[in-house]
Amino acid sequence: MSGQIKILTTPIKDEDLEALNVGDVVYLTGTLVTCRDVAHRRLIELGRELPVDLKGGAIFHAGPIVKQKEDGSYEMVSIGPTTSMRMEKFEKEFIRQTGVKLVVGKGGMGAETAAGCVENKAVHAIFPGGCAVLAATKVEKIEDAQWKDLGMPETLWVNRVKEFGPLIISIDTKGRNLIDENKARFNEKKKPILQRINEEVRFIK
């Protein structure tokens, strides 16, 4: 990891992302829209236009807990990430169609998303698990809610955030994939250890 820390502000431009590398830590200021399984399927499989403009924007694979106040406005209670890999089969086309620049979630994503990030100058970032209540404190205001018929977790919640993070870049615009690289590195380290274990406990076989 290079340890670089940067604040991205929406709308995000290509040049804002080009210098980022996997392992860099960024924070987001501006607009962050929760967008997960069903919203992806509506756009890609059903061809329904998203009711939110994501060009230059950021989405969060998350199913938040939201409270409606007496005046009708909404308050973010908890906003934790959901597993990004669930959106893998949609994300490349989603990025292409929407122009989204930052995709945030839990865990990494695969080769198709990496290809989409290269072709359309976008990045994927990991938000640490277990910090959902802390994340909610970075939401200054819920500015809009679309597709509420999907229920609270799948609604497109349009959030105004300030220095939302930390977000660890896991796929950069060059197509590098932090999770894949870490797996390869760990597997190489594992080989001699497993060999030694097998030699020491071969009597068990």
PDB file of all heavy atoms in Angstrom, residues 97-118:
ATOM      1  N   GLN A  97     -23.157   2.358 -18.603  1.00  0.00           N
ATOM      2  CA  GLN A  97     -24.411   3.051 -18.877  1.00  0.00           C
ATOM      3  C   GLN A  97     -24.608   4.307 -18.032  1.00  0.00           C
ATOM      4  O   GLN A  97     -25.180   5.295 -18.496  1.00  0.00           O
ATOM      5  CB  GLN A  97     -25.597   2.107 -18.658  1.00  0.00           C
ATOM      6  CG  GLN A  97     -25.767   1.051 -19.735  1.00  0.00           C
ATOM      7  CD  GLN A  97     -27.131   0.365 -19.643  1.00  0.00           C
ATOM      8  OE1 GLN A  97     -28.123   0.967 -19.253  1.00  0.00           O
ATOM      9  NE2 GLN A  97     -27.173  -0.907 -20.012  1.00  0.00           N
ATOM     10  N   THR A  98     -24.155   4.273 -16.792  1.00  0.00           N
ATOM     11  CA  THR A  98     -24.453   5.381 -15.873  1.00  0.00           C
ATOM     12  C   THR A  98     -23.364   6.448 -15.814  1.00  0.00           C
ATOM     13  O   THR A  98     -23.640   7.586 -15.445  1.00  0.00           O
ATOM     14  CB  THR A  98     -24.668   4.862 -14.440  1.00  0.00           C
ATOM     15  OG1 THR A  98     -23.442   4.267 -13.965  1.00  0.00           O
ATOM     16  CG2 THR A  98     -25.792   3.847 -14.391  1.00  0.00           C
ATOM     17  N   GLY A  99     -22.117   6.083 -16.128  1.00  0.00           N
ATOM     18  CA  GLY A  99     -21.019   7.028 -15.984  1.00  0.00           C
ATOM     19  C   GLY A  99     -20.567   7.212 -14.548  1.00  0.00           C
ATOM     20  O   GLY A  99     -19.849   8.165 -14.226  1.00  0.00           O
ATOM     21  N   VAL A 100     -20.981   6.282 -13.663  1.00  0.00           N
ATOM     22  CA  VAL A 100     -20.543   6.347 -12.264  1.00  0.00           C
ATOM     23  C   VAL A 100     -19.025   6.186 -12.201  1.00  0.00           C
ATOM     24  O   VAL A 100     -18.427   5.456 -12.987  1.00  0.00           O
ATOM     25  CB  VAL A 100     -21.259   5.265 -11.420  1.00  0.00           C
ATOM     26  CG1 VAL A 100     -20.790   3.853 -11.771  1.00  0.00           C
ATOM     27  CG2 VAL A 100     -21.089   5.529  -9.935  1.00  0.00           C
ATOM     28  N   LYS A 101     -18.397   6.899 -11.272  1.00  0.00           N
ATOM     29  CA  LYS A 101     -16.939   6.900 -11.192  1.00  0.00           C
ATOM     30  C   LYS A 101     -16.383   6.177  -9.973  1.00  0.00           C
ATOM     31  O   LYS A 101     -15.244   5.724  -9.985  1.00  0.00           O
ATOM     32  CB  LYS A 101     -16.421   8.350 -11.185  1.00  0.00           C
ATOM     33  CG  LYS A 101     -16.607   9.073 -12.502  1.00  0.00           C
ATOM     34  CD  LYS A 101     -15.809   8.392 -13.605  1.00  0.00           C
ATOM     35  CE  LYS A 101     -16.021   9.005 -14.959  1.00  0.00           C
ATOM     36  NZ  LYS A 101     -15.309   8.263 -16.021  1.00  0.00           N
ATOM     37  N   LEU A 102     -17.189   6.080  -8.916  1.00  0.00           N
ATOM     38  CA  LEU A 102     -16.730   5.427  -7.687  1.00  0.00           C
ATOM     39  C   LEU A 102     -17.790   4.437  -7.229  1.00  0.00           C
ATOM     40  O   LEU A 102     -18.949   4.815  -7.023  1.00  0.00           O
ATOM     41  CB  LEU A 102     -16.478   6.465  -6.586  1.00  0.00           C
ATOM     42  CG  LEU A 102     -16.147   5.934  -5.191  1.00  0.00           C
ATOM     43  CD1 LEU A 102     -14.824   5.166  -5.196  1.00  0.00           C
ATOM     44  CD2 LEU A 102     -16.095   7.067  -4.180  1.00  0.00           C
ATOM     45  N   VAL A 103     -17.394   3.176  -7.109  1.00  0.00           N
ATOM     46  CA  VAL A 103     -18.275   2.113  -6.627  1.00  0.00           C
ATOM     47  C   VAL A 103     -17.717   1.635  -5.292  1.00  0.00           C
ATOM     48  O   VAL A 103     -16.554   1.221  -5.219  1.00  0.00           O
ATOM     49  CB  VAL A 103     -18.335   0.940  -7.625  1.00  0.00           C
ATOM     50  CG1 VAL A 103     -19.211  -0.187  -7.085  1.00  0.00           C
ATOM     51  CG2 VAL A 103     -18.841   1.408  -8.987  1.00  0.00           C
ATOM     52  N   VAL A 104     -18.522   1.704  -4.252  1.00  0.00           N
ATOM     53  CA  VAL A 104     -18.066   1.361  -2.901  1.00  0.00           C
ATOM     54  C   VAL A 104     -18.850   0.167  -2.384  1.00  0.00           C
ATOM     55  O   VAL A 104     -20.064   0.069  -2.605  1.00  0.00           O
ATOM     56  CB  VAL A 104     -18.253   2.557  -1.937  1.00  0.00           C
ATOM     57  CG1 VAL A 104     -17.776   2.199  -0.524  1.00  0.00           C
ATOM     58  CG2 VAL A 104     -17.520   3.784  -2.461  1.00  0.00           C
ATOM     59  N   GLY A 105     -18.180  -0.737  -1.689  1.00  0.00           N
ATOM     60  CA  GLY A 105     -18.878  -1.877  -1.110  1.00  0.00           C
ATOM     61  C   GLY A 105     -17.999  -2.645  -0.152  1.00  0.00           C
ATOM     62  O   GLY A 105     -16.957  -2.160   0.294  1.00  0.00           O
ATOM     63  N   LYS A 106     -18.441  -3.879   0.140  1.00  0.00           N
ATOM     64  CA  LYS A 106     -17.695  -4.757   1.046  1.00  0.00           C
ATOM     65  C   LYS A 106     -16.994  -5.822   0.215  1.00  0.00           C
ATOM     66  O   LYS A 106     -17.605  -6.450  -0.654  1.00  0.00           O
ATOM     67  CB  LYS A 106     -18.651  -5.407   2.046  1.00  0.00           C
ATOM     68  CG  LYS A 106     -17.960  -6.336   3.048  1.00  0.00           C
ATOM     69  CD  LYS A 106     -18.915  -6.764   4.153  1.00  0.00           C
ATOM     70  CE  LYS A 106     -20.005  -7.676   3.656  1.00  0.00           C
ATOM     71  NZ  LYS A 106     -20.892  -8.158   4.733  1.00  0.00           N
ATOM     72  N   GLY A 107     -15.721  -6.034   0.480  1.00  0.00           N
ATOM     73  CA  GLY A 107     -14.970  -7.038  -0.261  1.00  0.00           C
ATOM     74  C   GLY A 107     -14.659  -6.557  -1.669  1.00  0.00           C
ATOM     75  O   GLY A 107     -15.014  -5.449  -2.073  1.00  0.00           O
ATOM     76  N   GLY A 108     -13.978  -7.412  -2.419  1.00  0.00           N
ATOM     77  CA  GLY A 108     -13.551  -7.026  -3.750  1.00  0.00           C
ATOM     78  C   GLY A 108     -14.557  -7.378  -4.822  1.00  0.00           C
ATOM     79  O   GLY A 108     -15.642  -7.883  -4.557  1.00  0.00           O
ATOM     80  N   MET A 109     -14.169  -7.073  -6.068  1.00  0.00           N
ATOM     81  CA  MET A 109     -14.962  -7.449  -7.224  1.00  0.00           C
ATOM     82  C   MET A 109     -14.041  -8.144  -8.227  1.00  0.00           C
ATOM     83  O   MET A 109     -12.834  -8.228  -8.021  1.00  0.00           O
ATOM     84  CB  MET A 109     -15.675  -6.238  -7.830  1.00  0.00           C
ATOM     85  CG  MET A 109     -16.672  -5.595  -6.864  1.00  0.00           C
ATOM     86  SD  MET A 109     -17.832  -4.429  -7.636  1.00  0.00           S
ATOM     87  CE  MET A 109     -18.986  -5.558  -8.427  1.00  0.00           C
ATOM     88  N   GLY A 110     -14.618  -8.632  -9.343  1.00  0.00           N
ATOM     89  CA  GLY A 110     -13.873  -9.500 -10.231  1.00  0.00           C
ATOM     90  C   GLY A 110     -13.384  -8.859 -11.514  1.00  0.00           C
ATOM     91  O   GLY A 110     -13.360  -7.635 -11.670  1.00  0.00           O
ATOM     92  N   ALA A 111     -13.040  -9.737 -12.459  1.00  0.00           N
ATOM     93  CA  ALA A 111     -12.404  -9.313 -13.706  1.00  0.00           C
ATOM     94  C   ALA A 111     -13.307  -8.440 -14.563  1.00  0.00           C
ATOM     95  O   ALA A 111     -12.830  -7.515 -15.235  1.00  0.00           O
ATOM     96  CB  ALA A 111     -11.962 -10.546 -14.497  1.00  0.00           C
ATOM     97  N   GLU A 112     -14.608  -8.716 -14.575  1.00  0.00           N
ATOM     98  CA  GLU A 112     -15.518  -7.923 -15.401  1.00  0.00           C
ATOM     99  C   GLU A 112     -15.600  -6.484 -14.897  1.00  0.00           C
ATOM    100  O   GLU A 112     -15.577  -5.535 -15.682  1.00  0.00           O
ATOM    101  CB  GLU A 112     -16.910  -8.557 -15.418  1.00  0.00           C
ATOM    102  CG  GLU A 112     -17.021  -9.782 -16.307  1.00  0.00           C
ATOM    103  CD  GLU A 112     -16.823  -9.429 -17.775  1.00  0.00           C
ATOM    104  OE1 GLU A 112     -17.617  -8.628 -18.307  1.00  0.00           O
ATOM    105  OE2 GLU A 112     -15.869  -9.941 -18.380  1.00  0.00           O
ATOM    106  N   THR A 113     -15.688  -6.334 -13.597  1.00  0.00           N
ATOM    107  CA  THR A 113     -15.719  -4.980 -13.033  1.00  0.00           C
ATOM    108  C   THR A 113     -14.399  -4.269 -13.294  1.00  0.00           C
ATOM    109  O   THR A 113     -14.383  -3.080 -13.632  1.00  0.00           O
ATOM    110  CB  THR A 113     -16.011  -5.025 -11.527  1.00  0.00           C
ATOM    111  OG1 THR A 113     -17.303  -5.606 -11.320  1.00  0.00           O
ATOM    112  CG2 THR A 113     -15.991  -3.639 -10.919  1.00  0.00           C
ATOM    113  N   ALA A 114     -13.289  -4.989 -13.144  1.00  0.00           N
ATOM    114  CA  ALA A 114     -11.975  -4.394 -13.413  1.00  0.00           C
ATOM    115  C   ALA A 114     -11.900  -3.890 -14.853  1.00  0.00           C
ATOM    116  O   ALA A 114     -11.390  -2.800 -15.122  1.00  0.00           O
ATOM    117  CB  ALA A 114     -10.866  -5.400 -13.132  1.00  0.00           C
ATOM    118  N   ALA A 115     -12.419  -4.688 -15.785  1.00  0.00           N
ATOM    119  CA  ALA A 115     -12.433  -4.281 -17.192  1.00  0.00           C
ATOM    120  C   ALA A 115     -13.282  -3.023 -17.374  1.00  0.00           C
ATOM    121  O   ALA A 115     -12.916  -2.110 -18.120  1.00  0.00           O
ATOM    122  CB  ALA A 115     -12.960  -5.409 -18.063  1.00  0.00           C
ATOM    123  N   GLY A 116     -14.418  -2.981 -16.688  1.00  0.00           N
ATOM    124  CA  GLY A 116     -15.281  -1.804 -16.763  1.00  0.00           C
ATOM    125  C   GLY A 116     -14.608  -0.561 -16.211  1.00  0.00           C
ATOM    126  O   GLY A 116     -14.806   0.549 -16.732  1.00  0.00           O
ATOM    127  N   CYS A 117     -13.796  -0.732 -15.169  1.00  0.00           N
ATOM    128  CA  CYS A 117     -13.078   0.398 -14.578  1.00  0.00           C
ATOM    129  C   CYS A 117     -12.010   0.930 -15.536  1.00  0.00           C
ATOM    130  O   CYS A 117     -11.772   2.140 -15.596  1.00  0.00           O
ATOM    131  CB  CYS A 117     -12.448  -0.014 -13.246  1.00  0.00           C
ATOM    132  SG  CYS A 117     -13.650  -0.208 -11.889  1.00  0.00           S
ATOM    133  N   VAL A 118     -11.373   0.034 -16.276  1.00  0.00           N
ATOM    134  CA  VAL A 118     -10.369   0.452 -17.260  1.00  0.00           C
ATOM    135  C   VAL A 118     -11.033   1.180 -18.419  1.00  0.00           C
ATOM    136  O   VAL A 118     -10.611   2.273 -18.820  1.00  0.00           O
ATOM    137  CB  VAL A 118      -9.565  -0.762 -17.785  1.00  0.00           C
ATOM    138  CG1 VAL A 118      -8.662  -0.353 -18.954  1.00  0.00           C
ATOM    139  CG2 VAL A 118      -8.732  -1.371 -16.669  1.00  0.00           C
TER     140      VAL A 118
END
